[in-house]
C-alpha cells in the first residue's frame, strides 16, 4: 500500500515538472518579442509587488564587479586610501577602495578606485560625481568606461579653462570659490608640484556647460588674490591630435638635375631646378651636389687619301659621298 502511494506521488511530481517546463517555455516565447523598456517595466512592477523578486534582481545586478567599481581621478598627492573610502562610504558599503601609488617612490599617482558591495550604491555615487577631497575637486566614473567614455564628452575642449598667473597663496578652494560664480564646476584644482607640494602658479577648471566657461573667459574682472590672472580655454588632447594632422607648409628643395642633350624647339633644363615638396619626416638623405657630365664624345673618323693610278673616264653620274669617308668623291668609271 505504501509503495503504491509513493509511486502515485512520483507520477504526480513528474507530471508537475513537465507542466512547469512547458509553462516556462511558453513564457519565454511570449517575452521574446517584447522591447527592453517593456521588460524593464514588467520587472519593476514585479519587484514592487514581490520583495523576493526585488532581492533576486539586486543579486543578479551586483554579481559582476564591473558595474560596482568606480575610477576616481584628480586626487591630491596627500590623499590616502582611508580618506578616499571615508568620502565615498556615504553612498553605501564599500567592498574595496585604494589610492594608486607609485611603486618606486610610494607617492600617490593622483587617482584611485572604489568598489561598492551593491550596484545601487555605485549609482548613487555617480549622481554626485564631483567630490571635494583634501582641497581638490575629484571626479568619479565607472572604471570600465575609463577616460574614453561618454563621461568625457566631445565639448570638453570648450568647457575646460586654464588659469595662469596665480598667487602661491591661492588654494584649490579659493580657485573653485572664485570661478563657481559663473556656473556649476565639474572638476578643478590648482596645479601642485609633486615633490614640494607647492603651487605651480596655474590651475584648471572644467564647467558642466559651455556657457559657463564662456562667461568665465569673457568676464573682464580677472583679479584673484591681488594678482591679474590669465583665463583662456585649456589645450585638449583632441585639439593636439587635429593640429598634428594638419599638413606642413610647402618647403622649396633644390634638386640637381643633369644637363640633357640639346634638342631643337625644346626648353633646356639647367643644372638644378627648384621644386616645391611638402616636408615629410623622417629626413631623407641629401642629394649629391652634382652629377657627372652626361654628354658623350664620339671619335671623328680619319680622312683617307688614295693615289691616282690612271685616267678614268667619268660617265656623268653625280658624285656620292662614300660612307664612312669624309671629303672623297666616289665615281662610276668605264673600263
Amino acid at each position: 500500500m505504501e509503495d503504491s502511494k509513493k509511486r502515485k506521488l512520483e507520477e504526480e511530481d513528474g507530471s508537475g515538472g513537465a507542466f512547469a517546463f512547458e509553462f516556462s517555455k511558453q513564457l519565454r516565447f511570449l517575452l521574446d518579442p517584447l522591447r527592453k523598456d517593456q521588460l524593464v517595466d514588467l520587472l519593476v512592477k514585479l519587484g514592487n509587488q514581490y520583495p523576493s523578486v526585488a532581492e533576486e534582481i539586486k543579486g543578479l545586478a551586483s554579481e559582476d564587479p564591473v558595474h560596482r567599481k568606480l575610477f576616481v581621478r584628480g586626487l591630491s598627492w596627500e590623499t590616502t586610501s582611508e580618506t578616499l573610502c571615508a568620502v565615498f562610504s556615504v553612498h553605501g558599503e564599500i567592498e574595496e577602495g585604494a589610492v594608486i601609488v607609485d611603486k618606486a617612490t610610494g607617492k600617490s599617482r593622483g587617482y584611485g578606485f572604489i568598489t561598492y558591495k551593491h550596484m545601487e550604491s555605485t549609482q548613487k555615487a555617480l549622481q554626485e560625481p564631483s567630490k571635494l577631497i583634501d582641497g581638490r575637486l575629484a571626479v568619479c566614473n565607472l572604471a570600465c568606461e575609463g577616460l574614453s567614455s561618454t563621461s568625457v564628452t566631445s565639448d570638453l575642449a570648450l568647457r575646460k579653462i586654464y588659469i595662469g598667473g596665480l598667487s602661491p597663496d591661492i588654494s584649490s578652494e579659493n580657485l573653485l570659490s572664485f570661478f563657481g560664480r559663473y556656473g556649476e564646476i565639474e572638476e578643478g584644482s590648482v596645479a601642485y608640484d609633486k615633490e614640494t607640494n607647492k603651487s605651480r602658479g596655474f590651475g584648471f577648471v572644467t564647467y558642466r556647460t559651455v556657457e559657463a566657461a564662456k562667461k568665465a573667459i569673457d568676464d573682464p574682472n580677472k583679479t584673484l588674490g591681488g594678482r591679474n590672472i590669465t583665463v583662456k580655454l585649456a589645450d585638449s588632447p583632441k585639439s593636439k591630435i587635429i593640429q598634428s594632422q594638419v599638413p606642413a607648409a610647402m618647403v622649396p628643395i633644390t634638386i640637381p638635375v643633369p644637363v640633357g642633350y640639346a634638342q631643337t624647339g625644346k626648353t633646356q633644363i639647367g643644372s638644378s631646378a627648384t621644386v616645391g615638396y611638402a616636408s615629410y619626416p623622417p629626413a631623407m638623405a641629401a642629394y649629391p651636389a652634382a652629377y657627372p657630365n652626361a654628354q658623350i664624345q664620339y671619335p671623328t673618323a680619319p680622312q683617307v687619301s688614295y693615289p691616282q693610278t690612271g685616267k678614268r673616264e667619268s660617265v656623268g653620274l653625280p658624285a656620292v659621298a662614300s660612307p664612312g669617308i669624309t671629303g672623297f668623291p666616289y665615281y662610276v668609271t668605264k673600263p
Side-chain angles (χ1 to χ4, degrees):
M1 185 68 180
E2 292 180 359
D3 294 338
S4 62
K5 286 183 178 180
K6 187 177 180 180
R7 247 189 337 266
K8 188 176 181 180
L9 289 174
E10 288 177 353
E11 290 176 358
E12 288 178 356
D13 291 341
S15 62
F19 174 76
F21 176 76
E22 290 296 330
F23 184 68
S24 298
K25 186 177 179 181
Q26 185 179 4
L27 283 178
R28 289 178 180 275
F29 179 77
L30 294 173
L31 292 172
D32 186 63
L34 297 182
R35 300 190 309 271
K36 181 181 178 180
D37 59 330
Q38 293 175 322
L39 293 173
V40 170
D41 293 339
L42 180 60
L43 289 173
V44 169
K45 185 177 180 180
L46 291 173
N48 290 330
Q49 292 179 355
Y50 304 98
S52 60
V53 176
E55 290 298 323
E56 189 172 355
I57 292 174
K58 289 181 180 180
L60 291 173
S62 301
E63 275 186 359
D64 193 343
V66 169
H67 305 298
R68 297 183 282 113
K69 189 173 185 179
L70 295 177
F71 170 69
V72 187
R73 68 182 188 273
L75 297 175
S76 170
W77 307 124
E78 284 75 32
T79 300
T80 62
S81 298
E82 291 77 12
T83 305
L84 181 67
C85 292
V87 172
F88 281 88
S89 61
V90 297
H91 302 296
E93 185 178 356
I94 294 177
E95 184 176 276
E96 185 181 6
V99 172
I100 305 302
V101 298
D102 187 274
K103 293 182 179 180
T105 63
K107 295 184 178 181
S108 170
R109 300 182 66 180
Y111 65 89
F113 295 93
I114 290 289
T115 303
Y116 286 100
K117 191 172 182 179
H118 302 289
M119 184 178 175
E120 56 265 31
S121 302
T122 307
Q123 297 301 320
K124 290 179 182 179
L126 290 174
Q127 291 175 3
E128 302 176 12
S130 301
K131 314 284 184 184
L132 188 62
I133 307 175
D134 291 336
R136 296 189 66 172
L137 194 61
V139 181
C140 67
N141 59 273
L142 281 176
C144 61
E145 295 177 349
L147 293 178
S148 60
S149 66
T150 54
S151 62
V152 183
T153 57
S154 58
D155 62 348
L156 176 62
L158 302 177
R159 295 187 292 109
K160 186 175 183 179
I161 61 173
Y162 163 85
I163 304 101
L166 294 175
S167 169
D169 301 327
I170 296 299
S171 63
S172 295
E173 292 93 332
N174 301 139
L175 185 72
L176 297 175
S177 176
F178 180 85
F179 284 94
R181 69 182 71 177
Y182 304 109
E184 187 177 359
I185 295 176
E186 179 181 283
E187 183 180 1
S189 174
V190 172
Y192 294 95
D193 186 271
K194 192 172 183 179
E195 300 297 331
T196 63
N197 198 33
K198 293 183 178 180
S199 172
R200 299 178 63 184
F202 65 91
F204 297 93
V205 168
T206 302
Y207 288 98
R208 292 196 177 276
T209 62
V210 177
E211 292 74 16
K214 191 174 185 302
K215 288 180 183 178
I217 295 174
D218 294 341
D219 189 352
N221 182 18
K222 296 294 190 304
T223 303
L224 177 61
R227 286 190 177 187
N228 293 327
I229 58 176
T230 302
V231 181
K232 61 181 180 179
L233 286 176
D235 294 333
S236 65
K238 184 176 180 181
S239 64
K240 293 180 180 179
I241 293 174
I242 294 175
Q243 290 176 4
S244 65
Q245 293 175 347
V246 176
M250 298 294 287
V251 179
I253 302 176
T254 301
I255 304 176
V257 179
V259 179
Y261 294 105
Q263 298 183 32
T264 307
K266 293 186 177 181
T267 304
Q268 304 302 313
I269 302 177
S271 60
S272 65
T274 301
V275 185
Y277 290 93
S279 60
Y280 185 84
M284 298 177 63
Y287 287 96
Y291 287 97
N293 196 342
Q295 291 184 344
I296 301 175
Q297 301 294 333
Y298 292 98
T300 305
Q303 295 186 2
V304 181
S305 300
Y306 295 92
Q308 297 182 1
T309 57
K311 185 176 181 181
R312 291 177 174 80
E313 182 179 352
S314 175
V315 295
L317 296 178
V320 181
S322 175
I325 301 177
T326 305
F328 186 78
Y330 176 74
Y331 294 92
V332 178
T333 59
K334 182 178 180 181

